[in-house]
Amino acid sequence: DTTMDTNGELALRLGVETSLEGWLFPDTYYYVKGDSELALFQLALSKMHSVLKENWQGQSADSVLASPYAALTLASIIEKETGYEPDRAMIASVFHNRLADGMRLQSDPTVIYGLGEQFTGDLKQSHLRTDSSHNTYTRHGLPLTPICSPGLASIQAATTYTRSPYLYFVAKGDGESHFSTTLDEHNQAVDRYQRGISR
């Protein structure tokens, strides 16, 4: 029975040396009466290992990702950044381009994850400026751990580098994102879609 386990204890029981965050593949799993909770977690873990291995082997040769765990971490960010399928590849491209150029990822979902229970639904500028292990506004590179368990589409987007000139994106408010190549263009898009200002 794993009901009373903390994530750390459960990770140890499953043989996961890192945080358990990100390692349970979201899917439908079938079980029969008498199967243990641990066995169900093991199914989800095994499925994530299988999906990650398959996609890591097929990743682009010019990828900036150093390991399957890095791919899992990036996929988790993509998963949280959009639910709009057609934008996943371009969002992945922005993050690949930023990593290659030594830019910070500046992803709001990583900051929100780092805030944990302190986050009340309103992300403030002070949150973006407060350093933490998951604040990609204050730190370069990927956060220390994934921020959720990504699905197949986000894993495929993370491991398949789609070439693009984009370095920025902003949510348009309808589920889609606007992509920009320059900071000035991005700031105009932020004014238009987030602040309701047209220039």
Side-chain angles (χ1 to χ4, degrees):
D1 188 351
T2 60
T3 306
M4 300 304 291
D5 277 344
T6 64
N7 284 340
E9 291 168 346
L10 181 56
L12 285 174
R13 293 180 71 183
L14 290 169
V16 177
E17 296 178 1
T18 60
S19 164
L20 190 58
E21 189 72 75
W23 279 115
L24 303 177
F25 189 79
D27 204 353
T28 300
Y29 297 96
Y30 298 94
Y31 61 96
V32 296
K33 185 176 180 179
D35 285 349
S36 69
E37 291 179 356
L38 192 63
L40 288 175
F41 283 117
Q42 188 64 59
L43 281 175
L45 175 63
S46 296
K47 181 70 177 285
M48 182 61 84
H49 275 295
S50 174
V51 169
L52 191 58
K53 180 180 179 182
E54 179 181 345
N55 284 278
W56 177 254
Q57 289 173 341
Q59 75 164 330
S60 305
D62 52 1
S63 172
V64 296
L65 301 176
S67 68
Y69 192 65
L72 179 64
T73 302
L74 179 57
S76 74
I77 299 172
I78 296 166
E79 184 77 23
K80 284 293 189 180
E81 284 284 5
T82 186
Y84 183 60
E85 184 77 27
D87 279 354
R88 281 199 179 99
M90 281 299 101
I91 287 175
S93 178
V94 167
F95 289 139
H96 273 269
N97 290 342
R98 283 179 160 258
L99 288 168
D101 289 352
M103 297 173 68
R104 294 184 180 99
L105 296 185
Q106 297 183 321
S107 169
D108 290 357
T110 67
V111 179
I112 291 168
Y113 179 88
L115 288 169
E117 293 180 0
Q118 296 175 26
F119 183 64
T120 60
D122 183 21
L123 190 63
K124 299 177 170 58
Q125 285 295 320
S126 61
H127 294 143
L128 304 182
R129 292 191 296 267
T130 303
D131 186 45
S132 78
S133 62
H134 284 79
N135 189 335
T136 54
Y137 280 82
T138 60
R139 299 191 181 197
H140 287 85
L142 293 164
L144 290 180
T145 69
I147 60 173
C148 71
S149 287
L152 177 60
S154 293
I155 292 171
Q156 289 174 332
T159 54
T160 307
Y161 175 52
T162 301
R163 291 187 180 279
S164 84
Y166 300 125
L167 289 170
Y168 307 90
F169 68 92
V170 63
K172 293 165 64 174
D174 61 358
E176 299 182 32
S177 298
H178 177 89
F179 297 89
S180 304
T181 58
T182 67
L183 181 57
D184 183 60
E185 183 187 348
H186 173 66
N187 286 336
Q188 290 183 47
V190 169
D191 283 344
R192 177 180 178 187
Y193 295 113
Q194 301 286 310
R195 300 183 182 126
I197 303 170
S198 294
R199 289 198 243 168

